[in-house]
Amino acid sequence: MKTESKIFLFLIIFFAVVTPSYAYVTWQMGHFEVIGTTVFALTLLFCLMIWGLLVITGRTVGMRPEDRKDGEIVENAGALGFFPPSSIVPFWSALAIMVILLGVVYGWWLSLVGVALGIWGACGWAYEFYTGDYKH
C-alpha cells in the first residue's frame, strides 16, 4: 500500500497548490470562479480521504510483495478474490445513477425514480448470492 499512498500523497500536494492558485488567478481576472475552485477543493478532499484509507490499510496489512524491493511475482500467486461469474446488477446501478443525474436536468421527480432504482440495485448487490443460479 505504500506505493499507492505515495501516489495519492503527490496528488494531495498537487491539488493543495493548484486550488488556491486557481482561486487567486480567477479572482485577479475580475471574477472569482466558484465552480472550478469547488471542484479542485473536493478533488483535494477526496484524494486526502483515499490517501488516509491507504495509509491505515497499509499499517494493518503490512508489507506486500509490491512494497518490497526484493518482492517476487510468485509471492502474489493465488486467488485474488471472489467475483460473480455474471451479473446484471451493475447495469441497473449505472442506470440508476444516470437517471438520478438526468433528474437534475429534467426535474427532481426523475431523481426520485433514480433513487428508487438505486435502492433496488443496492439490494440486488446485497442479496445476489442468496437468490437465483448462484444461491449458497
Side-chain angles (χ1 to χ4, degrees), residues 4-111:
E4 295 92 344
S5 65
K6 287 178 185 176
I7 291 171
F8 277 96
L9 183 60
F10 171 76
L11 288 173
I12 289 168
I13 294 168
F14 174 77
F15 285 113
V17 170
V18 168
T19 303
S21 302
Y22 182 81
Y24 178 73
V25 167
T26 59
W27 178 67
Q28 286 294 331
M29 292 177 66
H31 71 288
F32 177 71
E33 186 179 347
V34 178
I35 299 300
T37 307
T38 305
V39 167
F40 280 133
L42 287 177
T43 305
L44 171 66
L45 292 175
F46 288 146
C47 288
L48 186 65
M49 179 181 66
I50 294 171
W51 175 76
L53 175 74
L54 288 172
V55 167
I56 291 170
T57 305
R59 287 182 185 161
T60 57
V61 170
M63 294 290 281
R64 301 176 304 167
E66 300 95 86
D67 297 330
R68 296 192 330 256
K69 296 270 187 207
D70 62 340
E72 295 289 329
I73 294 173
V74 78
E75 292 181 62
N76 232 2
L80 297 177
F82 177 73
F83 305 101
S86 65
S87 177
I88 193 71
V89 178
F91 169 75
W92 289 112
S93 299
L95 184 71
I97 292 170
M98 181 188 74
V99 171
I100 290 170
L101 294 176
L102 283 175
V104 175
V105 175
Y106 293 111
W108 292 104
W109 62 271
L110 193 58
S111 291

